[in-house]
Amino acid sequence: MIQVNIALSGGGSRGVAHVGVLKALHEFGIEPAAMSGTSAGSIVGALICDGFTTEEIIEIIRKFEFKNRINFQSFRTGTGFFSMEPVTQLLKKNLRSKNIEDLRLPLYVTAADFNTGKAHAFSTGNIIERVVASCSIPIVFSPVYIEGIPYVDGGLSCNLPVDPYLKDTKKIVGVNVNPIVAYHNNLGFWGNLDRTLNLFVKESGMRHQEKCHLLVEPKGLEKFYLFDSKHMNDMIEIAYTYVVSHLNKEEILTKLEE
């Protein structure tokens, strides 16, 4: 078994694909020593660090049915069109730990300070509060105030959070689930929103990708949009199949052991 530090990107609903990647890496004999996550990646990271297996997380996702839980709220009631209550309830129902420092593995949750735009990696404090802040895309969701500071989706500042590991000697594995779809006239509102957000975070993600010893970017996720909650099982399976079918286990193990 090889222990590595794992960084999970944001990606909206596509974040569930992280579970498929982690399942494949586990079968390869690669386990997390620590997890960092931005946005949806922080949800998966929190569950892994709380001791859930990938199979258990898949079952949690299957039972939850996000498509029936997205709540529209009047823009006048806050600064976002939708409520983060579904994510809050998912975490409340399943997490066994309350604070990040209580988790079995170290976790770093990256959110963006909405005053300065700078990334902040939380390694202590209330898990749910910090994960919800990391997932709160501006305008779509309201900011989360932590100690008087408004925080929003970490992807605005750092969509692949490797910085917490830069002083560690362990190898870094990054997982990016943000493919950019080629532009065409039939993308529609959600397709254009998805493309816009992905282009916005692309540059910061590329800077951090260079710091990874292994970068996994599953192909096939480009057909799923940011808020596609109907095909989560498909995304998990596509990511898993991509890793076991397209990545050479022996080459990866050799690279991470060097």
Side-chain angles (χ1 to χ4, degrees), residues 78-91:
T79 53
F81 285 111
F82 295 94
S83 167
M84 286 296 291
E85 188 62 19
V87 173
T88 300
Q89 290 304 316
L90 171 73
L91 296 172

Side-chain angles (χ1 to χ4, degrees), residues 6 11 45 56 123 130 144 150 163 165 171-172 195 199 211 236-237:
I6 298 179
E56 289 171 333
S123 57
R130 282 143 178 78
V144 174
D163 285 355
Y165 303 138
K171 297 295 175 65
I172 300 171
R195 179 176 173 76
L199 286 172
K211 301 172 185 176
I236 293 170
E237 185 60 30

Side-chain angles (χ1 to χ4, degrees), residues 9-19 40-41 44 177 235:
S9 75
S13 296
R14 286 189 301 265
V16 298
H18 288 307
V19 183
V44 176
V177 294
M235 298 181 215

